[in-house]
Amino acid sequence: MDYESFFRREIEGLHTEGRYRVFADLERHSGSFPKATRYTQDGTHEVAVWCSNDYLGMGQSPIVTDAMHEAIDRCGAGAGGTRNISGTNHYHVLLEQELADLHGKEAALLFTSGYVSNWAALGTIAAHLPGCVVLSDALNHASMIEGIRHSRAEKRIWKHNDVADLERQLAEIEPGRPKLVAFESVYSMDGDIAPIREICDVAEKYGAMTYLDEVHAVGLYGPRGGGIAEREGLMDRLTVIEGTLGKAFGVMGGYIAASAALCDFVRSFASGFIFTTALPPALAAGARASIRHLKSAEGEQLRARHRERVATLRRKLDAAGIPHMVNPSHIVPVMVKDPVKCKMLSDVLLDTYGIYIQPINYPTVPKGLERLRITPSPLHGDGDIDRLVRSLEALWSQCALARAVA
């Protein structure tokens, strides 16, 4: 077989379908979010980033960077090993205590990323519970799907956010059999929010554990940034809350928060935890500082500013007739519904207007639902928003795209 020809043909197919992914070579400006320098073959250009998952700009906050500098000065760069073999630094211990407190749980456990925390925790729990059935929301993240697949447990997929379908499927499982309901709070592509209370009601009725992915909610929702479950007063009803340190907290890593016994079980059996080098102490220190800040009154002020910026952008998009998906979260999907035009819009915004928004095409979203996924931050000013809306308005006319009807 001509392996290289196979690889080239597959990549050419992505180009033809308009869904080949190009990485923007960026250098973020510390303390000046959302500004960044873009590196190209023609030189450097200044851009405004509109699609970052650093939702609150905490990745450039002196509160976080000062804590990281201090940790590097105290401990050096890397952790020096796995958590089991010399790699547990005191900063890891402090961060796990902070996370447990954030979610009102007995314990928390750190992982190297949110992807790994989902893969390792779901895979380990479902694999070891005898006869476990995992009930997974139809739009769960790839990391959750991979974890469930890795467990080799029986899997049932229930219709997205459809509590009646979840109950129907739970009722079909023999009583006493271990069951785990896995779902997200904020779904990152459509920005919709799960009916957590109703899901907990049904899960409790049938004796099922609940596993909630809050990666797009931690830091952003709730009086202390504990996520949607904190906002709704439901954290105590969830068996496992999973989150990330790489989005609103602005650093890197993932975690679960749960009972002491469950966290100890995952710590003791999850290969994705046992056999990997621990997070650098500086990352743990930065994440802890970020979490502590976002728990405070200043953190709530930042969240209020964030909500106002999202509402302002939505209002101005409506006034310009730019179609965007209505949802109750901070994620603003501008709907293009064509892969080639979506990629072209992204390219022109970046090359001509200095606005960076990554196109979202299949397989991240279904074909025909291609979009520009916009994530406003508290640090986007009125001028940033006006320039974005004017640019989209000009391109919408240029590409003869349908306008939203007021």
Side-chain angles (χ1 to χ4, degrees):
M1 181 177 183
D2 185 342
Y3 299 110
E4 290 299 310
S5 293
F6 170 80
F7 299 143
R8 284 193 293 268
R9 283 197 306 272
E10 291 297 302
I11 294 300
E12 286 167 4
L14 294 179
H15 281 285
T16 302
E17 295 173 27
R19 58 188 185 96
Y20 179 76
R21 295 173 177 177
V22 177
F23 294 160
D25 184 354
L26 302 177
E27 181 180 279
R28 301 208 300 169
H29 297 175
S30 181
S32 300
F33 188 82
K35 294 179 182 178
T37 297
R38 179 192 178 205
Y39 286 80
T40 71
Q41 292 180 342
D42 300 325
T44 60
H45 311 273
E46 301 305 299
V47 300
V49 179
W50 275 98
C51 57
S52 175
N53 283 340
D54 186 0
Y55 292 132
L56 300 175
M58 290 301 295
Q60 299 183 17
S61 167
I63 293 166
V64 175
T65 57
D66 287 351
M68 295 180 73
H69 282 299
E70 180 186 349
I72 288 176
D73 290 341
R74 288 171 64 95
C75 304
T82 66
R83 288 292 298 273
N84 187 50
I85 305 176
S86 83
T88 294
N89 189 281
H90 189 53
Y91 285 110
H92 298 130
V93 177
L94 294 175
L95 176 55
E96 287 174 338
Q97 292 172 353
E98 200 72 55
L99 289 164
D101 174 77
L102 176 66
H103 294 294
K105 298 297 185 184
E106 291 179 340
L109 189 66
L110 281 172
F111 295 85
T112 50
S113 72
Y115 190 103
V116 174
S117 57
N118 270 334
W119 176 81
L122 279 168
T124 301
I125 294 167
H128 285 80
L129 281 171
C132 182
V133 182
V134 183
L135 297 102
S136 177
D137 184 283
L139 293 188
N140 275 344
H141 189 264
S143 58
M144 302 176 78
I145 294 168
E146 285 299 320
I148 296 165
R149 180 182 295 137
H150 178 71
S151 77
R152 303 189 180 217
E154 180 183 337
K155 177 181 70 174
R156 288 173 170 248
I157 298 174
W158 48 286
K159 296 175 184 176
H160 177 55
N161 281 348
D162 188 329
V163 179
D165 188 52
L166 172 62
E167 179 162 19
R168 177 186 65 77
Q169 297 203 41
L170 281 166
E172 293 174 355
I173 302 168
E174 52 266 37
R177 189 174 177 188
K179 297 171 282 288
L180 175 60
V181 177
F183 61 108
E184 301 180 41
S185 57
V186 178
Y187 287 84
S188 64
M189 287 301 115
D190 290 353
D192 55 336
I193 294 176
I196 301 174
R197 186 181 307 276
E198 292 80 2
I199 292 170
C200 287
D201 289 344
V202 170
E204 291 166 3
K205 178 179 177 180
Y206 291 92
M209 300 170 67
T210 45
Y211 183 106
L212 176 64
D213 176 318
E214 287 257 43
V215 297
H216 291 278
V218 289
L220 297 173
Y221 299 90
R224 299 197 310 158
I228 299 295
E230 185 197 25
R231 187 187 73 178
E232 303 299 323
L234 298 169
M235 292 192 297
D236 61 311
R237 297 182 65 185
L238 293 149
T239 311
V240 181
I241 296 175
E242 184 268 348
T244 184
L245 306 171
K247 293 185 170 60
F249 294 132
V251 192
M252 179 184 175
Y255 65 89
I256 60 170
S259 70
L262 190 149
C263 288
D264 198 18
F265 171 80
V266 174
R267 180 189 72 88
S268 301
F269 289 96
S271 63
F273 176 84
I274 296 169
F275 297 108
T276 191
T277 300
L279 284 173
L283 290 180
R288 179 172 179 255
S290 182
I291 293 163
R292 289 171 68 87
H293 178 71
L294 291 178
K295 285 178 176 178
S296 69
E298 290 84 358
E300 182 54 28
Q301 291 171 6
L302 193 62
R303 283 187 286 275
R305 167 71 175 174
H306 184 228
R307 292 190 293 271
E308 183 276 325
R309 295 285 80 189
V310 173
T312 297
L313 175 61
R314 288 186 182 278
R315 185 173 67 252
K316 293 190 174 185
L317 289 173
D318 286 338
I322 304 300
H324 60 96
M325 189 176 288
V326 176
N327 63 50
S329 78
H330 60 285
I331 294 166
V332 184
V334 168
M335 304 307 293
V336 182
K337 300 183 179 181
D338 179 283
V340 175
K341 288 185 177 180
C342 193
K343 176 69 166 58
M344 184 191 73
L345 284 172
S346 174
D347 289 344
V348 175
L349 282 169
L350 187 56
D351 294 336
T352 304
Y353 296 94
I355 292 171
Y356 174 47
I357 311 173
Q358 187 70 15
I360 307 295
N361 292 339
Y362 178 85
T364 307
V365 295
K367 292 180 179 179
L369 294 179
E370 293 80 11
R371 66 199 62 183
L372 299 173
R373 177 183 176 273
I374 301 175
T375 53
S377 81
L379 304 177
H380 285 94
D382 287 337
D384 295 317
I385 292 175
D386 288 340
R387 188 158 65 91
L388 170 63
V389 174
R390 285 197 304 269
S391 302
L392 286 171
E393 203 170 9
L395 289 175
W396 234 253
S397 297
Q398 181 181 328
C399 298
L401 291 166
R403 299 266 180 171
V405 179

